[in-house]
Amino acid sequence: MDIKFLDLSALNAPYFERFCEIMQKILQSSAFIGGEYCNTFEQNFAKYLNVAGCVGVANGTDALEIAIKSLNLPKGSQIIVPANTFKASCEAILNTGHKAVIVDCDENYNIKPSTLLNAITPFTSAIIVVHLYGRICDITKIAQIAQEHHLALIEDCSQAHGARIKINNTISFAGTIGDIGTFSFYPSKNLGAIGDAGCIVSNNITLLSRARNIANHANHSQEKISFIGRNSRLDNLQAAFLNLKLQDLDSHNAHRQHIATLYQKHLKDIPQILLPEIPMHSYQCVWHLYVIRLHKELENKRHLLKEFLAKNGIETHIHYPQNLAKIKEIKFHIHTIIHSLPNATNWDENILSLPMGIHIQEEQVIFIAQKIKEFCQNYISNSNE
């Protein structure tokens, strides 16, 4: 078999004909920045999330930086962030002039509430949670900690489009629980554009107004607070494509959830790997990534498994090969504070992301599982000789 990690061509092909018709209208109108489709997407995504408003921006990293800036935190504040995430989560903190406080992850690779609690100081102003791999973190406990310590809560939802959780008998979407949420619509995301795009969501109208103002050169501020703005706007073409795909987000996520259960079924009897936990309620995880971890005899042998799978036509990736504290530019940054990271440090060399998406069917899952089992048996057998 030839199994791609992600097949964007197959994913996007059903939308091309309709998108070409829309694109022709946009070209004829010359409404490239802002415009009808951008406004419609902001409204549609806010309605989907059941949140007060949405501000489209150029990309997910901009969304984080603008969200932090809109909170108007004290200069040089400490912002807590999990170690196991893409470096943009930390870059946004440092690029806005604050201090990044890096803490450990839990068994699901999300921020660990106890380590977060131990990292709070009088200089802490905010927490960034990352709903990593599509799984909602322990947001109820973290929101309580944030409230008790008067901290702003930012949700990085770049891998959690459509993930949701029940709180007090009410279903809430990722991005709508904290003070402000950010999304990336990078092409590989569960809801992906055909280029860079992102957005900011909130139930706080003031924060939304500030975010929109900052993203457009701070030209229309009605507040006493003065911001230096920037140019970060969602363009009409990307918004039009996102509008088409938003209609299928839930069905695509349901397929990912189905594939995750198939992986669980066919990989569960391989003792050399640890599988991600399937949440009690399926909607709590939208499986942007399905990540296994090598265990015991296979620890630090990820490169061998990855090479073996590649030789058998199975493409895999690593998310992420280094936790934030191992990235040179972050580790030695004057404004980085690193706490004890036993989990993130031990696990980043042993995690492997398997193919996931609507292009994956049960026969591919069975084949992948067979090859992983074959590798494990062969490695253990050779090691015992």
Side-chain angles (χ1 to χ4, degrees):
M1 286 192 182
D2 180 16
I3 304 177
K4 295 180 180 180
F5 181 76
L6 177 67
D7 192 342
L8 287 178
S9 178
L11 174 63
N12 291 329
Y15 305 101
F16 283 167
E17 184 175 348
R18 285 177 291 167
F19 178 65
C20 285
E21 294 174 2
I22 295 170
M23 184 169 63
Q24 188 173 15
K25 294 179 182 178
I26 293 173
L27 291 173
Q28 289 172 345
S29 68
S30 297
F32 302 117
I33 304 299
E36 172 190 352
Y37 297 100
C38 188
N39 294 335
T40 300
F41 175 73
E42 289 180 343
Q43 294 168 9
N44 287 343
F45 197 55
K47 183 178 180 181
Y48 172 80
L49 296 177
N50 192 27
V51 69
C54 168
V55 177
V57 295
N59 56 68
T61 305
D62 278 5
L64 274 170
E65 291 186 16
I66 294 167
I68 292 171
K69 200 166 184 178
S70 70
L71 289 165
N72 197 36
L73 303 174
K75 187 176 180 180
S77 290
Q78 293 180 3
I79 300 178
I80 300 172
V81 65
N84 186 37
T85 182
F86 184 56
K87 62 182 180 179
S89 303
C90 191
E91 287 172 335
I93 298 171
L94 299 174
N95 284 336
T96 51
H98 298 292
K99 296 181 179 180
V101 181
I102 301 172
V103 300
D104 208 6
C105 55
D106 61 17
E107 286 287 337
N108 293 315
Y109 309 105
N110 277 321
I111 193 166
K112 190 174 183 180
S114 60
T115 63
L116 183 161
L117 192 58
N118 293 334
I120 295 173
T121 75
F123 304 103
T124 308
S125 291
I127 303 165
I128 292 180
V129 298
V130 183
H131 301 301
L132 200 69
Y133 306 152
R135 178 188 299 268
I136 291 197
C137 68
D138 194 349
I139 191 68
T140 306
K141 187 176 293 184
I142 293 168
Q144 183 180 351
I145 292 171
Q147 185 176 16
E148 290 174 354
H149 292 268
H150 308 289
L151 305 176
L153 180 55
I154 305 163
E155 294 180 74
D156 182 345
C157 310
S158 294
Q159 299 185 7
H161 310 70
R164 55 202 88 173
I165 188 171
K166 183 179 286 187
I167 302 176
N168 298 327
N169 294 319
T170 300
I171 299 295
S172 297
F173 284 82
T176 70
I177 303 158
D179 295 285
I180 197 163
T182 68
F183 288 84
S184 166
F185 300 119
Y186 188 75
S188 63
K189 304 300 184 182
N190 289 38
L191 179 60
I194 49 173
D196 275 320
C199 81
I200 297 162
V201 300
S202 180
N203 281 307
N204 186 316
I205 301 301
T206 299
L207 290 181
L208 289 169
S209 176
R210 288 179 188 170
R212 190 176 298 280
N213 188 38
I214 293 167
N216 192 22
H217 299 293
N219 283 331
H220 305 290
S221 179
Q222 304 298 318
E223 305 177 64
K224 295 178 181 178
I225 302 171
S226 178
F227 293 98
I228 297 295
R230 63 194 296 167
N231 178 7
S232 182
R233 296 170 296 206
L234 176 63
D235 69 62
N236 234 1
L237 287 169
Q238 299 299 344
F241 197 71
L242 290 169
N243 263 322
L244 294 175
K245 293 182 72 175
L246 179 59
Q247 303 169 41
D248 297 322
L249 176 58
D250 282 344
S251 63
H252 287 180
N253 283 344
H255 183 80
R256 288 172 177 270
Q257 290 160 345
H258 174 61
I259 295 302
T261 60
L262 291 176
Y263 270 131
Q264 215 78 3
K265 172 184 176 182
H266 295 289
L267 293 171
K268 66 180 181 180
D269 296 323
I270 305 176
Q272 292 81 21
I273 62 172
L274 293 170
L275 306 181
E277 174 192 350
I278 299 285
M280 182 182 301
H281 301 289
S282 62
Y283 51 73
Q284 288 182 258
C285 185
V286 292
W287 299 100
H288 174 64
L289 298 169
Y290 186 90
V291 180
I292 63 172
R293 188 166 85 238
L294 305 192
H295 183 50
K296 293 183 178 178
E297 298 98 332
L298 290 184
E299 285 183 347
N300 302 318
K301 299 297 185 294
R302 177 180 61 199
H303 64 290
L304 297 177
L305 174 58
K306 197 174 189 308
E307 290 171 3
F308 177 82
L309 294 176
K311 289 177 181 177
N312 284 277
I314 302 167
E315 184 183 13
T316 60
H317 285 277
I318 302 167
H319 300 86
Y320 296 94
Q322 291 181 311
N323 72 70
L324 294 181
K326 290 183 179 180
I327 299 173
K328 182 180 177 182
E329 295 80 5
I330 293 174
K331 180 179 181 180
F332 297 108
H333 196 286
I334 190 171
H335 289 152
T336 298
I337 301 168
I338 301 172
H339 282 254
S340 176
L341 308 171
N343 291 343
T345 300
N346 293 333
W347 295 345
D348 61 6
E349 295 181 0
N350 292 294
I351 53 178
L352 186 66
S353 302
L354 301 183
M356 172 58 80
I358 65 168
H359 67 297
I360 302 297
Q361 304 297 325
E362 184 165 14
E363 61 179 0
Q364 282 91 6
V365 173
I366 292 172
F367 181 74
I368 292 167
Q370 288 173 342
K371 290 304 171 183
I372 292 175
K373 187 172 184 179
E374 180 181 332
F375 172 84
C376 293
Q377 290 175 338
N378 290 343
Y379 183 83
I380 298 305
S381 177
N382 292 335
S383 298
N384 294 332
E385 288 181 359

